[in-house]
Amino acid sequence: MAATRARWGKMEEEELNCPKSSSEKRYFPESLDSSDGDEEGILACEDLELNPFDGLPYSSRYYKLLKEREDLPIWKEKYSFMENLLQSQVVIVSGDATCGKSSQVPQWCAEYCLSIHYQHGGVVCTQVHKQTAVQLALRVADEMDVNIGHEVGYVIPFENCCTSETILRYCTDDMLQREMMSNPFLGSYGVIILDDVQERSIATDVLLGLLKDVLLARPELKLIINSSPHLISTLSSYYGNVPLIEVASKRPVEVVYLSGAQKEALEAVLRLIFEIHHSGEEGDIVVFLACEQDIEKAYEIVCQEGANLNPDLGELVVVPLYPKEKCALFKPNDEAEKRCQVYQRRVVLTASSGESLIWSNTVRFVIDVGVERRKVYSPRIRADSLVLQPISQSQAEMRKQVLGSSSSGKLFCLYSEEFASKDMRPLKPAEMQHANLTSMVLFMKRVDIAGLGHCDFMNRPAPESLMQALEDLDYLAALDNDGNLSEFGIIMSEFPLDPQLSKSILASCEFDCVDEMLTIAAMVTAPNCFSHLPSGAEAEALTCWKTFLHPEGDHFTLVNLYKAFQDVTLNSTSEHCVEKWCHDYFLNCSALRMADVIRAELLEIIKRIELPYAEPAFGSKENTLNIKKALLSGYFMQIARDVDGSGNYLMLTHKQVAQLHPLSCYSVTKKMPEWVLFHKFSISENNYIRIASEISPELFMQLVPQYYFSNLPPSESKDILQQVMAQLSPITDQTTSETCPETTEQRCAIQ
């Protein structure tokens, strides 16, 4: 009823006369605008066309958006698509990022489900990026003239905007994957759409494989696969002889190759930005850089130089899109443009491959450096390496598609045609072939319980990566002696977290520090809560951040920070006060709010599976020790030792040397502990350890699984730990037999 009232209120505010359209729908008569009498008004209302999804008359905005939809390249293929959907179980749709397949195909599938009265369920459409899922759901709800969160909704990590009556839902691919743990055959859906398959995320590849078996078990289920043209031949051979809908989309694009610019790519990018702006040609600029560091450098320089430009050229608005902050680009509405007295040109700086954004027709220039800093996981050393590699030819083509479709655009490639043909591989590599697979293997073990353990992957993952993932799960006690998921592993899989973090949360139940561990888990899962600093603000920001430092380590600092944010939130009279506090302390308010949401969901999981929850005791010595025990229970594979007393940390599992991050509490206070447990490490230019806390070798040896320790490579650090173990052995035997047999029994169950 609330949704119905909202729709009627929306209609009352709009004009009831609607533009004519070439569609077959029936439109409002002209007499509706007249006020010649109540009788005519009543007769006009009887002629209103009703929305079949909610039973209410269409608003005038529906018809306006319908005309825009009919201009999309995909619209010409509607009849062909609907015919194939009726006759086939699997349909592949090929088209570029601007053809409209992500917004229109799901609506057509909703019409199909409506026509058969939802007897097999509704429609779900997956997206790789959560921001894209949200923006598409908002757009489609608007186009269908229904309420977001009711007929159309979205599900992303830690946010569910759907009801039991939702007909069409957008969700991230990992959320649909997680749904299979409780609903293996996805019986709630009559149509499943896998969108942007060319991005080759782990979750999408897993779904492509598992859905083969689901389709056999459910002949009534329909599967739609949306992809860019580059992957079509691979998909066709993978799924067999299935119908293919190809959407033609040709736009005039001028490509300029600057072969000598790649060596000094950042300087060339900056020069091009200002040349375009001085030329006076209208249009926004999208720049594809190699990494986050380049975004920060370019942002700082363009902001500084832009302030000194001739104001007659218009304002240069720089929009940095960091990897975890991708968002949609929309053209401003007409009224906003009229109100704006000064021309604004947006310069969007991103390091994404381009597929994750919803493009705007205002983009006229694209600058592509042709390389990206890709994260490649090494199973041998259990660490990521940031490797500078050429993008693929398919990615280069996707970046060209960013240009607005209404008129010609210009693409500046900071590489040669020879580089594009020889050094760029044809397709983007599957994430499964260069990522940590531990979470994926845990999921596959979980669905194996429902008989879906076999998965015919489009590209097989490396055997070494699979073996390392199985080995890690075994160390974490997630597998039983037969290699199947243990009861403990089943509980770990309930948490939408990295398995190591899930293990630490479960261990905290034993060590009576669940409240603190949930806070730590939420803070390390949310985006970085420290803001990107403007030039010259580093000293002031560091002074503010020192307020939250905790002597026991960065994990404890995060707890301090979250508690301070909670106190401000509870004591503030408005959202503005909270945002001002975050701004004053150089903190990311949206990241802290996300941590709050994540923590609430983790707490719900703890309550749902009835795990013990102790009262918070943060600050006491016993609690500090217990938190370190819980962390060690999950992160015993991520330990490092300062080998020379000057902050050069050698990993316990391999011979890589790293330094603590400059924002670590130990770097700020200049007090380097000998042994640290860390949350994150990647091999790059700086080799930083991020989020580290001090541990003692004695505590490590008490909690580490012995078969993991015995498999460590020989090193000076291992020799030191063996001496510690020799000293501990008689003491441990005596104390465990005399004082705490019950605790030992529980710890054995966890380890």
Side-chain angles (χ1 to χ4, degrees):
M1 288 301 296
T4 303
R5 285 195 296 271
R7 279 290 314 283
W8 275 112
K10 175 182 173 183
M11 284 195 59
E12 287 171 1
E13 294 174 1
E14 295 185 346
E15 296 177 0
L16 293 176
N17 57 314
C18 303
K20 292 183 179 180
S21 172
S22 59
S23 81
E24 298 175 359
K25 290 186 174 289
R26 187 158 45 91
Y27 301 107
F28 296 156
E30 293 178 7
S31 61
L32 204 59
D33 273 338
S34 65
S35 55
D36 294 335
D38 294 338
E39 189 175 343
E40 285 188 11
I42 293 169
L43 289 172
C45 286
E46 290 176 356
D47 289 335
L48 293 178
E49 185 178 13
L50 299 181
N51 187 333
F53 292 106
D54 63 4
L56 296 174
Y58 283 123
S59 65
S60 60
R61 179 165 175 77
Y62 169 81
Y63 296 96
K64 179 184 176 182
L65 293 176
L66 182 61
K67 290 188 70 176
E68 295 178 10
R69 294 169 62 193
E70 289 170 344
D71 291 334
L72 292 169
I74 188 78
W75 193 265
K76 297 175 184 177
E77 307 297 332
K78 181 176 181 180
Y79 178 80
S80 175
F81 173 81
M82 297 302 286
E83 191 174 292
N84 282 293
L85 182 64
L86 285 169
Q87 297 175 358
S88 307
Q89 195 176 15
V90 180
V91 180
I92 298 175
V93 180
S94 167
D96 66 27
T98 58
C99 74
K101 64 184 187 296
S102 299
S103 60
Q104 302 312 301
V105 169
Q107 293 185 61
W108 300 342
C109 292
E111 291 174 16
Y112 162 77
C113 290
L114 173 67
S115 70
I116 59 173
H117 308 291
Y118 309 108
Q119 56 182 313
H120 305 308
V123 182
V124 63
C125 180
T126 66
Q127 298 295 320
V128 175
H129 303 288
K130 63 181 182 180
Q131 290 86 351
T132 316
V134 173
Q135 296 291 357
L136 279 169
L138 291 168
R139 175 69 182 180
V140 168
D142 200 16
E143 290 182 355
M144 291 176 66
D145 211 19
V146 296
N147 287 298
I148 187 69
H150 198 260
E151 290 83 7
V152 176
Y154 61 86
V155 182
I156 60 175
F158 308 105
E159 187 177 354
N160 186 343
C161 185
C162 291
T163 68
S164 58
E165 298 177 15
T166 299
I167 301 159
L168 167 57
R169 67 182 66 198
Y170 282 88
C171 71
T172 50
D173 49 7
D174 58 327
M175 292 306 292
L176 185 62
Q177 180 183 281
R178 287 197 64 79
E179 190 173 340
M180 292 187 76
M181 294 198 308
S182 56
N183 184 12
F185 295 96
L186 299 171
S188 304
Y189 307 112
V191 181
I192 296 172
I193 305 166
L194 300 183
D195 199 10
D196 283 342
V197 170
Q198 76 279 349
E199 291 225 11
R200 302 303 306 277
S201 68
I202 290 177
T204 293
D205 274 10
V206 168
L207 287 169
L208 279 169
L210 291 180
L211 285 173
K212 281 189 169 184
D213 288 341
V214 175
L215 289 169
L216 291 174
R218 292 186 58 203
E220 77 283 359
L221 178 65
K222 306 287 186 178
L223 173 64
I224 313 300
I225 302 172
N226 287 348
S227 176
S228 67
H230 314 92
L231 196 63
I232 294 306
S233 60
T234 305
L235 284 169
S236 297
S237 60
Y238 181 62
Y239 262 95
N241 187 23
V242 298
L244 170 64
I245 307 294
E246 294 185 273
V247 184
S249 181
K250 295 182 179 179
R251 295 183 309 282
V253 175
E254 180 185 349
V255 181
V256 180
Y257 290 97
L258 303 171
S259 56
Q262 201 168 32
K263 293 180 181 179
E264 298 179 350
L266 190 59
E267 289 79 359
V269 164
L270 296 169
R271 185 170 60 253
L272 276 170
I273 290 172
F274 293 117
E275 284 178 3
I276 292 169
H277 193 58
H278 279 102
S279 72
E281 294 183 64
E282 291 192 1
D284 293 334
I285 306 170
V286 174
V287 184
F288 290 99
L289 296 164
C291 60
E292 188 174 334
Q293 288 76 14
D294 286 353
I295 294 176
E296 292 175 355
K297 292 176 186 175
Y299 176 73
E300 184 178 335
I301 294 172
V302 175
C303 285
Q304 287 177 350
E305 297 294 328
N308 302 322
L309 293 175
N310 185 347
D312 294 338
L313 294 171
E315 185 181 358
L316 207 57
V317 181
V318 190
V319 184
L321 298 185
Y322 296 99
K324 285 195 176 182
E325 299 169 5
K326 299 188 185 81
C327 65
L329 300 177
F330 288 104
K331 182 178 179 180
N333 59 43
D334 295 337
E335 292 182 8
E337 287 181 340
K338 289 176 183 176
R339 288 194 301 267
C340 185
Q341 299 296 318
V342 181
Y343 170 71
Q344 290 186 334
R345 185 198 304 277
R346 286 180 297 176
V347 179
V348 181
L349 307 173
T350 180
S352 78
S353 56
E355 299 90 329
S356 59
L357 302 178
I358 302 171
W359 304 118
S360 163
N361 286 335
T362 61
V363 177
R364 295 289 176 272
F365 306 95
V366 170
I367 303 172
D368 180 13
V369 298
V371 293
E372 64 179 349
R373 199 172 291 278
R374 185 174 296 146
K375 192 180 289 187
V376 178
Y377 184 75
S378 171
R380 185 179 59 83
I381 61 175
R382 290 184 174 87
D384 289 314
S385 299
L386 294 176
V387 183
L388 193 67
Q389 295 179 344
I391 61 173
S392 67
Q393 293 172 8
S394 62
Q395 286 174 279
E397 182 63 28
M398 292 295 290
R399 294 180 177 191
K400 184 191 297 185
Q401 294 167 15
V402 174
L403 291 163
S405 57
S406 60
S407 63
S408 61
K410 187 176 287 188
L411 169 65
F412 296 94
C413 299
L414 304 189
Y415 50 85
S416 64
E417 289 185 77
E418 183 182 6
F419 178 86
S421 60
K422 291 184 178 180
D423 294 310
M424 291 182 178
R425 63 180 76 186
L427 296 174
K428 181 180 180 180
E431 185 185 3
M432 188 177 292
Q433 296 179 319
H434 57 79
N436 186 347
L437 301 181
T438 309
S439 293
M440 186 205 79
V441 173
L442 180 64
F443 166 77
M444 294 301 297
K445 289 288 183 182
R446 175 65 185 265
V447 296
D448 188 34
I449 298 171
L452 287 175
H454 172 73
C455 186
D456 179 22
F457 293 114
M458 192 151 52
N459 294 99
R460 299 291 295 177
E464 186 182 9
S465 297
L466 285 174
M467 288 302 297
Q468 176 263 319
L470 286 167
E471 188 177 58
D472 285 2
L473 290 175
D474 190 34
Y475 289 147
L476 292 168
L479 305 179
D480 61 21
N481 293 333
D482 297 322
N484 300 316
L485 207 60
S486 65
E487 289 185 18
F488 192 64
I490 292 172
I491 299 174
M492 283 173 59
S493 68
E494 288 291 322
F495 292 92
L497 303 170
D498 178 87
Q500 289 177 277
L501 198 51
S502 300
K503 173 69 181 291
S504 289
I505 289 177
L506 294 186
S508 71
C509 297
E510 174 193 345
F511 297 119
D512 295 331
C513 56
V514 180
D515 186 84
E516 294 80 9
M517 197 61 231
L518 289 183
T519 299
I520 292 170
M523 290 293 281
V524 298
T525 304
N528 185 7
C529 59
F530 297 102
S531 297
H532 292 280
L533 298 178
S535 179
E538 292 83 357
E540 185 183 354
L542 198 58
T543 302
C544 293
W545 293 342
K546 281 182 179 179
T547 311
F548 311 109
L549 294 186
H550 195 291
E552 293 295 341
D554 298 332
H555 296 87
F556 299 84
T557 295
L558 292 177
V559 177
N560 271 346
L561 181 52
Y562 178 80
K563 287 170 70 69
F565 174 74
Q566 283 290 92
D567 290 343
V568 171
T569 303
L570 291 172
N571 297 322
S572 296
T573 55
S574 67
E575 293 285 329
H576 175 72
C577 296
V578 178
E579 291 170 0
K580 184 181 184 304
W581 178 82
C582 290
H583 180 268
D584 292 344
Y585 279 87
F586 299 93
L587 300 174
N588 186 333
C589 189
S590 61
L592 287 166
R593 283 175 177 155
M594 176 56 68
D596 205 24
V597 171
I598 293 171
R599 192 186 186 284
E601 182 162 327
L602 296 178
L603 182 57
E604 282 297 313
I605 295 172
I606 290 282
K607 292 177 178 178
R608 175 167 55 81
I609 55 183
E610 298 181 349
L611 293 173
Y613 187 93
E615 290 297 315
F618 187 69
S620 68
K621 286 186 178 180
E622 183 182 5
N623 180 258
T624 299
L625 180 62
N626 286 341
I627 292 172
K628 290 184 178 182
K629 287 179 179 180
L631 287 168
L632 268 169
S633 297
Y635 288 90
F636 53 83
M637 290 179 273
Q638 294 181 194
I639 304 297
R641 182 176 71 92
D642 186 354
V643 291
D644 57 7
S646 61
N648 291 311
Y649 286 88
L650 188 68
M651 306 293 135
L652 195 56
T653 51
H654 51 83
K655 295 184 179 180
Q656 290 290 335
V657 177
Q659 286 76 39
L660 296 176
H661 191 272
L663 292 181
S664 170
C665 65
Y666 301 118
S667 299
V668 174
T669 59
K670 309 296 183 186
K671 296 178 180 178
M672 301 296 176
E674 183 179 2
W675 295 85
V676 294
L677 170 149
F678 59 90
H679 179 71
K680 199 184 302 182
F681 166 71
S682 58
I683 300 169
S684 59
E685 295 174 1
N686 297 317
N687 276 19
Y688 283 141
I689 290 174
R690 297 175 186 269
I691 312 179
S693 292
E694 182 178 11
I695 57 149
S696 67
E698 291 80 12
L699 192 62
F700 173 77
M701 291 309 300
Q702 286 175 23
L703 293 165
V704 66
Q706 288 306 307
Y707 52 100
Y708 164 77
F709 180 73
S710 62
N711 288 334
L712 286 173
S715 66
E716 182 185 357
S717 298
K718 185 176 181 180
D719 292 341
I720 294 171
L721 291 170
Q722 283 176 325
Q723 293 173 11
V724 170
M725 182 172 63
Q727 296 170 1
L728 281 175
S729 294
I731 301 172
T732 305
D733 292 342
Q734 184 179 357
T735 55
T736 53
S737 60
E738 292 179 1
T739 60
C740 54
E742 204 172 301
T743 305
T744 306
E745 200 173 286
Q746 290 174 358
R747 186 170 300 124
C748 288
I750 286 182
Q751 295 293 351

